Amino acid sequence: MIHLKSLVSTGGRSVQAACDWLFSHVDDPFLDDPLPREFVLYLRPSGPLQNQLSHFWQQSRITCGKNKAHNIFPHITLCQFFMCADHKVEALSEALQTTVQQWRGRFPRPLPLELYTSSNFIGLFVEEQVADVLRQFAADFATEAARKTEVKVEPHKKQLHLTLAYNFLSDHLSSLEKLAKGIEVKLGCDWLAVLFSRDIRFANHETFRVMYPYMPQNDDELELAPGGYIFTSSMDQTSTSEGWVYGTSLATGLSGLLPENYVSLADESDTWVFHGSHSFFSCGPSEKSAKEKGMFDGLLDSRRPDSTGPGDMPTLSVICHPMQQVLRFSGSYTRQPKRTLFVCRHGERMDVVFGKHWLTLCSDSKGRYVRSNLNMPPSLPLWGGQRDYDMDAPITVFGSTQARLVGEALLESNTMIDFVYCSPSLRCVQTAQNILKGLQQDGKLKVRVEPGLFEWTKWVSGNSLPAWIPPTDLAAANFSVDTAYRPLIPASKLTVSESYENYMSRSYQVTKDILSDCKNTGNNVLIVAHAASLEACTRQLQGRSAQNAKDFIQVVRKIPYLGFCASEEQGETGMWQLVDPPILPLTHGPNHSFDWKETLLQE
């Protein structure tokens, strides 16, 4: 069933994803192959313990390079891999949901974990008596899966544990053990039962990520697009030329030769598909979505893509997300992880939503702040004569929500942020703060307010720059800012109506200085600034010259609130390359002002 294959293979992310998969696999020789996918049930931690484990994952990579544990995210294996036909996946997901619901209130909390180390293994083992309880849950799932799908699930019978490191160099044992001892295993944790699948044909293959584009020069070569994934097997390399490997593309299903230095080793789980996540302690958004939507509310036409058009395909409503989007670890897949720069635009602005005279809408006769719309925040920091809100507008309630959603997505994708820099504009500071709230790092990670990240001053109205709130006052108003940070470009160095060339040069220089200051002390840097910053802070890092001001403005107009991009450092060359962000984009529609009197009482 081709329509089911496209749904399961893309995780039911969207109608467009399923359609794209069908069209991109039109020449896939295995398109009509009924071979089922391989599934597995894991227990995954979330919350504070997961944050500690993600930190260990990243630091162990930085300190000792990649080991076998890094191929998969932190987890406790509850069953062996098992086969499930595409048309039974919905029922399989329902079986997991039903079993978890039956186990609410019975799941052990907290889950006792004990650190164990040997010469080539480090892990956290579940106390055996409690492990028996988890095995019973796995057995109940196996029974429910067999009842609903006739699929045979084999519960894991070995000691239950969460692997931290294995197959590492003996010289790294002491460093890894020290890092492992820093994990606070008694931290709060919500354990999730999660279901994943993979293409069984590539279960014993190595997974590579495409770093550079390549157009085939010969019929036996494979086209490469950056960010894609390639599967290779040592069995297929016997007759290849030096410097070339034979692989199969995840994106198209096609196989061929490709230049070896155009790809980089990835994690095994990067190409897995996520089919559902259920908490033992609460009914989370994923589970609610499953109840409300179901996995396959609509199906694609089963005809081949070349015999039908998008207009013939009914709507799909499904809940799964591809593993390469949901579970990606920051850093590279080589021995030393790559540094990543994230640049993000601020959230929705009050003055854009409510107009330049918005202050008159939320001030009473005594000059006190009173919101007149639910999208206005309940209060504003330092309201009164201390604020220059006319030139430094805050974000709306929805702007704060947008930012928290981005932070939550980064947390869900296991992306660690080591440093946060932001423009001095209040809207950027508030956005950074709310991203940290979503990341559950509010109060733990301090934001560095950097005036050099302010937008092109030509766009500032009037003859002076805004009177930004000083970091000390922001800290006094409960913003998580670093009051000890000394700006790379002080506000006094900024000039009104600077030239385009000066703005691009300033943005490039401050970004380079930020990355230089953070080198060797952290891998991932987040910059929260303006729409123009996504272009200005990354373009010249890639070795590309700045485009003319007219084209630049056209690019900036296309960047929405919380527009997000990622750039990775390419080895020791000093060059950077834009890559797929670890989170999905954020899209929403307009919501105009509604006056019920004017609308509903009209004669």
Side-chain angles (χ1 to χ4, degrees):
M1 299 279 289
I2 298 172
H3 55 281
L4 284 173
K5 179 173 284 193
S6 69
L7 285 167
V8 176
S9 298
T10 59
R13 190 174 10 144
S14 66
V15 177
Q16 191 61 54
C19 292
D20 289 346
W21 190 94
L22 281 171
F23 286 118
S24 65
H25 284 74
V26 66
D27 296 320
D28 183 350
F30 291 94
L31 183 59
D32 299 314
D33 195 321
L35 185 68
R37 294 178 68 85
E38 225 179 12
F39 286 75
V40 69
L41 176 65
Y42 285 154
L43 197 61
R44 285 197 63 215
S46 67
L49 178 58
Q50 169 60 20
N51 293 340
Q52 293 248 335
L53 292 170
S54 295
H55 182 70
F56 171 86
W57 236 247
Q58 184 184 52
Q59 292 303 312
S60 62
R61 261 182 153 161
I62 293 173
T63 305
C64 305
K66 181 178 178 179
N67 64 69
K68 286 287 187 180
H70 288 121
N71 273 328
I72 307 176
F73 42 86
H75 68 280
I76 295 174
T77 303
L78 292 181
C79 72
Q80 308 295 329
F81 274 94
F82 60 92
M83 308 282 277
C84 180
D86 292 343
H87 69 280
K88 295 182 178 181
V89 172
E90 180 182 14
L92 182 68
S93 298
E94 291 174 355
L96 177 58
Q97 181 178 330
T98 299
T99 309
V100 171
Q101 288 174 340
Q102 293 171 348
W103 270 76
R104 288 221 174 93
R106 298 165 55 196
F107 193 87
R109 185 176 191 179
L111 197 63
L113 299 171
E114 184 177 354
L115 180 65
Y116 171 83
T117 64
S118 67
S119 59
N120 65 353
F121 175 90
I122 301 176
L124 299 172
F125 277 77
V126 182
E127 181 183 292
E128 192 56 28
Q129 188 173 357
V130 176
D132 286 339
V133 177
L134 301 186
R135 292 190 189 98
Q136 185 57 54
F137 164 76
D140 287 354
F141 167 69
T143 301
E144 187 69 15
R147 186 179 70 82
K148 289 189 173 181
T149 67
E150 297 182 348
V151 167
K152 183 178 181 181
V153 178
E154 192 69 37
H156 198 58
K157 292 184 172 60
K158 297 181 180 179
Q159 286 183 293
L160 298 187
H161 62 277
L162 190 154
T163 302
L164 296 176
Y166 77 100
N167 278 19
F168 47 82
L169 297 177
S170 57
D171 294 345
H172 295 155
L173 175 60
S174 59
S175 297
L176 291 170
E177 190 173 18
K178 183 178 179 181
L179 286 171
K181 288 180 178 178
I183 300 173
E184 299 177 50
V185 295
K186 294 183 180 180
L187 282 175
C189 178
D190 185 0
W191 290 93
L192 308 173
V194 286
L195 194 63
F196 305 102
S197 75
R198 66 184 182 185
D199 191 324
I200 191 173
R201 292 176 297 150
F202 307 114
N204 296 315
H205 288 50
E206 283 196 307
T207 305
F208 288 85
R209 187 178 182 204
V210 178
M211 307 303 296
Y212 309 106
Y214 179 76
M215 289 302 296
Q217 307 297 312
N218 298 291
D219 292 341
D220 60 350
E221 294 174 1
L222 196 61
E223 182 177 351
L224 302 180
Y229 290 90
I230 302 294
F231 300 109
T232 71
S233 169
S234 57
M235 300 287 291
D236 297 329
Q237 311 307 323
T238 53
S239 60
T240 56
S241 303
E242 185 177 356
W244 291 76
V245 295
Y246 187 85
T248 301
S249 168
L250 172 68
T252 65
L254 300 177
S255 301
L257 294 170
L258 59 131
E260 188 173 11
N261 59 351
Y262 277 50
V263 296
S264 178
L265 190 64
D267 294 339
E268 180 185 339
S269 61
D270 280 351
T271 56
W272 291 5
V273 176
F274 172 71
H275 292 277
S277 174
H278 303 280
S279 166
F280 286 95
F281 307 127
S282 64
C283 181
S286 171
E287 189 164 311
K288 289 177 182 176
S289 297
K291 290 177 181 176
E292 293 164 1
K293 296 181 177 181
M295 188 168 179
F296 302 128
D297 283 352
L299 298 176
L300 289 179
D301 194 296
S302 62
R303 288 173 289 174
R304 292 290 295 264
D306 54 353
S307 67
T308 185
D312 297 322
M313 298 180 181
T315 302
L316 296 173
S317 179
V318 284
I319 63 168
C320 305
H321 303 281
M323 276 300 302
Q324 53 264 41
Q325 292 288 345
V326 174
L327 294 167
R328 280 181 47 187
F329 291 99
S330 55
S332 91
Y333 309 102
T334 55
R335 193 156 187 76
Q336 287 299 322
K338 292 179 181 177
R339 295 195 297 157
T340 306
L341 169 68
F342 302 112
V343 186
C344 182
R345 187 190 178 191
H346 58 76
E348 182 181 79
R349 296 171 54 157
M350 286 277 282
D351 55 342
V352 172
V353 174
F354 297 106
K356 62 180 180 179
H357 300 299
W358 65 274
L359 281 168
T360 62
L361 302 175
C362 51
S363 300
D364 65 11
S365 58
K366 296 182 180 179
R368 293 172 300 193
Y369 176 80
V370 179
R371 70 174 180 173
S372 58
N373 189 286
L374 288 177
N375 201 21
M376 293 179 175
S379 63
L380 292 179
L382 304 175
W383 176 264
Q386 308 171 59
R387 284 299 304 115
D388 183 15
Y389 280 117
D390 274 327
M391 295 187 65
D392 190 21
I395 59 177
T396 62
V397 171
F398 191 69
S400 299
T401 303
Q402 291 171 317
R404 283 197 301 274
L405 282 172
V406 167
E408 290 167 0
L410 289 169
L411 178 65
E412 185 181 3
S413 70
N414 294 325
T415 302
M416 296 290 293
I417 300 297
D418 300 298
F419 296 97
V420 180
Y421 289 78
C422 81
S423 160
S425 295
L426 178 59
R427 57 188 180 273
C428 299
V429 177
Q430 290 178 308
T431 300
Q433 176 95 349
N434 280 284
I435 289 176
L436 289 179
K437 286 181 180 178
L439 268 168
Q440 299 181 12
Q441 293 295 309
D442 185 25
K444 302 174 186 176
L445 195 57
K446 300 290 185 180
V447 177
R448 297 177 172 180
V449 180
E450 175 51 61
L453 293 172
F454 184 59
E455 66 183 347
W456 187 6
T457 61
K458 182 181 177 181
W459 288 337
V460 176
S461 60
N463 299 317
S464 62
L465 297 176
W468 297 302
I469 302 178
T472 50
D473 292 348
L474 287 169
N478 297 318
F479 283 92
S480 182
V481 298
D482 185 352
T483 56
Y485 174 69
R486 296 294 172 260
L488 297 166
I489 300 179
S492 59
K493 297 293 184 182
L494 299 180
T495 58
V496 179
S497 298
E498 67 184 328
S499 67
Y500 170 67
E501 291 73 22
N502 186 76
Y503 168 65
M504 293 299 289
S505 175
R506 163 168 66 87
S507 299
Y508 178 42
Q509 187 60 52
V510 74
T511 305
K512 285 199 303 180
D513 290 345
I514 286 172
L515 294 171
S516 176
D517 286 354
C518 296
K519 193 169 187 178
N520 300 322
T521 55
N523 254 21
N524 293 344
V525 177
L526 170 64
I527 287 176
V528 181
H530 307 271
S533 304
L534 276 73
E535 169 79 359
C537 293
T538 64
R539 185 178 181 88
Q540 293 170 90
L541 280 181
Q542 303 168 65
R544 303 162 67 196
S545 58
Q547 50 190 339
N548 62 57
K550 184 178 179 181
D551 291 339
F552 169 76
I553 291 171
Q554 293 304 313
V555 170
V556 172
R557 285 175 175 169
K558 298 176 183 177
I559 297 173
Y561 293 124
L562 269 299
F564 194 96
C565 71
S567 183
E568 280 185 354
E569 186 178 29
Q570 305 299 298
E572 297 299 323
T573 64
M575 300 299 291
W576 293 69
Q577 178 179 328
L578 288 175
V579 297
D580 285 335
I583 63 174
L584 298 170
L586 173 63
T587 306
H588 57 87
N591 199 55
H592 61 80
S593 179
F594 172 63
D595 188 318
W596 67 273
K597 291 182 180 179
E598 291 184 3
T599 305
L600 303 179
L601 294 182
Q602 285 185 345
E603 294 297 332

